Amino acid sequence: MPPSRTASSDIGPAVDPTSGPPATSPRMSSRQKLVLALLLGSQFMIAVDFSILNVALPVVGEGLGFSLAGLQWIATSFALAAAGFTLLFGRVADLVGRKNLFVGGMAVLGLSSVLGGLATSPEVLLTARVLQGLATAAVTPAGLALLTTAFREGPLRERALGLNGALMSAGFTAGAILGGLLTDLLSWRWAFFVNVPVAALVVILAPSVITDSRPEERPKLDVPGAITVTGGLLLLVLGLTQAGETGWTRPTTLAALAAGAVLLVAFVRIEQRSAAPLVPMRILKRRSVVWGNTAGLIAFVTETSLVFLLTLYLQEVLGYSALATGLAFGVLGAGTVVGGVLGGRAVGRFGNRRAIVLGGTVQAAATLSLVALGTSGTWIWLLLAATFVGGVGNMLMIVGFMVTATSGLPDEEQGRATGLATMTQQVGIALGIPVMSAVVTARMGAAHGPDAVLSGVSGAILVNSVLVLAGAVLAGYFLAGGARRRENG
């Protein structure tokens, strides 16, 4: 199959995934800057949308009559749809056109935000959140594929992916702050309505600004593979979410995890035999794809769960309000922006593998220092410093992951590669909180009060630090093995 073409993908030579930059660094054209701004703006909005309701959940529950146990489904319903359907939509983008799916997804996101803002019952709100999750599953891989096909491998792609990662991480933090402000000053409904003008602007501008790319021959969609991987991911995320709430031994939790594992194994077997697989085995056999995505999964699991752990610490131990908690995470957002700006340069100078190991080591060290947190308000200064440094390290790791996982593949495979990378991101975000919540619950036991919460949070922070260090070191080791293989022929 001949490679697809884009009007803006003729910049810079292709480079090896672990090599440095070419001798001369090309500059972005005016059109590329416009495309970049549009795509990054949409990804920032998606990130804001994920976290904007978190601090407003109690208020939403009171307004619509959610039970206390039902509140978590406002976030979980979004995460389930976003994580479960991302890989499928990444492939659909290759079939129907990335621009078409991107614009359609943004339209659905805008309309579902209107529905959520006007909701008068829990059922309507949850329907809106599921639709927002599905829109996210469509927009994120399509937008990322448009980004990677607009810039060939090299400094420009590294710079673009670094900015993309920085804005997405900053969006999670901005969402928490904006959610608190809108809820306090206006209404929680504006956490939905704020999406509408941004989505409308993207839908209006994207058709004339973005140049699409797709294979000249349109392959068939792997329906059995799509069903098994989507069902497997949905059940896996659901099982882990239930484990974080009610423990690992509940029959429903074990059944969901077991059924999810069975479906994912079936997916691999189907892909091995399919004439038009959703994810060809040749892609899954690439070390850059496997270990790049492993590093990304660890990065998202640890950083999103750390925000959850520190939210417990700030509100349950130090007594911070929801808005004050969101403002405290502004420092973390600043760190991720700095890390995103530096990420492309770090990859260009040190290579993908070293950027992943360096970022993971910095994040692990900063996270480990948080084990020292105590009940005095003066510990906020350690939290602010550690989250800033850890945010820089986390973003170095994420940029290294994104460049590694999408390198060395032709344009017609970018939808699959970015679908995998986006699935990794969404699954990591969805899994982080329930996994660390289970650690906190196990550490606390039957105890209650600020001291018990602090003990549970400290234990989970230690696990978090060990996990990110182990993930970065293992990814670096196996990526180095792949590089040595290529050098030895």
Side-chain angles (χ1 to χ4, degrees), residues 60-148:
V60 176
E62 291 178 8
L64 294 183
F66 275 89
S67 66
L68 185 61
L71 273 183
Q72 60 94 19
W73 284 103
I74 298 175
T76 301
S77 59
F78 178 97
L80 282 171
F85 288 87
T86 294
L87 187 57
L88 171 60
F89 282 132
R91 185 54 176 154
V92 170
D94 284 339
L95 303 180
V96 305
R98 294 151 189 171
K99 183 171 73 173
N100 292 336
L101 188 66
F102 176 77
V103 174
M106 289 300 295
V108 172
L109 185 60
L111 292 173
S112 59
S113 296
V114 173
L115 179 65
L118 297 175
T120 56
S121 68
E123 293 77 15
V124 173
L125 186 78
L126 292 179
T127 300
R129 289 297 279 169
V130 169
L131 290 173
Q132 285 183 320
L134 290 172
T136 297
V139 168
T140 307
L144 190 55
L146 289 168
L147 191 66
T148 56

Side-chain angles (χ1 to χ4, degrees), residues 7 73 84 101 161 193 212 245 266 268 321 357 369 373-374 408 426 436:
W73 284 103
L101 188 66
L161 289 174
F193 290 145
D212 203 357
E245 295 174 2
V268 173
S321 67
V357 175
S369 71
L373 291 173
Q426 298 292 353
M436 290 301 162

Side-chain angles (χ1 to χ4, degrees), residues 159-172:
R159 194 182 314 160
L161 289 174
L163 291 172
N164 180 72
L167 282 178
M168 288 201 72
S169 290
F172 291 124

Side-chain angles (χ1 to χ4, degrees), residues 19-21 25 154-163 338-352 355 358 395-396 399-400 403:
S19 67
S25 296
L156 288 184
R157 181 184 289 185
E158 292 158 6
R159 194 182 314 160
L161 289 174
L163 291 172
V338 172
V341 173
L342 297 178
R345 299 178 184 176
V347 168
R349 182 172 182 179
F350 303 115
N352 304 0
L358 174 62
M395 192 48 54
L396 291 179
V399 174
V403 175

Side-chain angles (χ1 to χ4, degrees), residues 199-220:
L201 184 64
V202 172
V203 169
I204 292 170
L205 293 179
S208 60
V209 171
I210 297 174
T211 302
D212 203 357
S213 64
R214 74 175 79 184
E216 292 183 8
E217 296 180 12
R218 184 176 298 181
K220 295 180 179 179

Side-chain angles (χ1 to χ4, degrees), residues 60-410:
V60 176
E62 291 178 8
L64 294 183
F66 275 89
S67 66
L68 185 61
L71 273 183
Q72 60 94 19
W73 284 103
I74 298 175
T76 301
S77 59
F78 178 97
L80 282 171
F85 288 87
T86 294
L87 187 57
L88 171 60
F89 282 132
R91 185 54 176 154
V92 170
D94 284 339
L95 303 180
V96 305
R98 294 151 189 171
K99 183 171 73 173
N100 292 336
L101 188 66
F102 176 77
V103 174
M106 289 300 295
V108 172
L109 185 60
L111 292 173
S112 59
S113 296
V114 173
L115 179 65
L118 297 175
T120 56
S121 68
E123 293 77 15
V124 173
L125 186 78
L126 292 179
T127 300
R129 289 297 279 169
V130 169
L131 290 173
Q132 285 183 320
L134 290 172
T136 297
V139 168
T140 307
L144 190 55
L146 289 168
L147 191 66
T148 56
T149 53
F151 303 96
R152 285 189 176 182
E153 291 179 42
L156 288 184
R157 181 184 289 185
E158 292 158 6
R159 194 182 314 160
L161 289 174
L163 291 172
N164 180 72
L167 282 178
M168 288 201 72
S169 290
F172 291 124
T173 305
I177 298 172
L178 186 60
L181 287 172
L182 290 174
T183 301
D184 283 356
L185 299 179
L186 298 172
S187 163
W188 62 265
R189 296 182 183 277
W190 282 95
F192 285 96
F193 290 145
V194 72
N195 294 332
V196 178
V198 180
L201 184 64
V202 172
V203 169
I204 292 170
L205 293 179
S208 60
V209 171
I210 297 174
T211 302
D212 203 357
S213 64
R214 74 175 79 184
E216 292 183 8
E217 296 180 12
R218 184 176 298 181
K220 295 180 179 179
L221 180 64
D222 176 19
V223 176
I227 292 173
T228 51
V229 72
T230 301
L233 288 172
L234 287 172
L235 288 168
L236 180 64
V237 173
L238 177 62
L240 287 169
T241 301
Q242 291 178 333
E245 295 174 2
T246 60
W248 295 88
T249 58
R250 291 289 294 270
T252 53
T253 298
L254 295 175
L257 292 174
V262 169
L263 285 177
L264 292 177
V265 170
F267 167 69
V268 173
R269 297 295 298 273
I270 289 170
E271 299 306 278
Q272 290 173 338
R273 301 175 181 179
S274 175
L278 197 65
V279 184
M281 288 297 106
R282 66 178 181 273
I283 292 181
L284 291 180
K285 289 179 180 178
R286 294 178 64 94
R287 288 196 180 207
S288 59
V289 172
V290 172
W291 289 101
N293 279 285
T294 299
L297 180 67
I298 295 296
F300 280 104
V301 164
T302 53
E303 193 67 6
T304 55
S305 63
L306 183 65
V307 171
F308 164 73
L309 295 173
L310 294 180
T311 298
L312 288 180
Y313 171 74
L314 289 170
Q315 295 190 12
E316 301 297 330
V317 178
L318 297 189
Y320 277 40
S321 67
L323 179 57
T325 300
L327 292 174
F329 286 128
V331 177
L332 171 62
T336 58
V337 171
V338 172
V341 173
L342 297 178
R345 299 178 184 176
V347 168
R349 182 172 182 179
F350 303 115
N352 304 0
R353 177 177 61 86
R354 291 187 179 90
I356 289 172
V357 175
L358 174 62
T361 303
V362 170
Q363 182 186 339
T367 302
L368 183 62
S369 71
L370 294 170
V371 174
L373 291 173
T375 56
S376 169
T378 57
W379 287 104
I380 186 63
W381 298 109
L382 171 62
L383 184 148
L384 295 177
T387 53
F388 177 84
V389 174
V392 174
N394 178 257
M395 192 48 54
L396 291 179
M397 195 173 177
I398 288 175
V399 174
F401 137 64
M402 290 302 305
V403 175
T404 301
T406 57
S407 293
L409 295 169

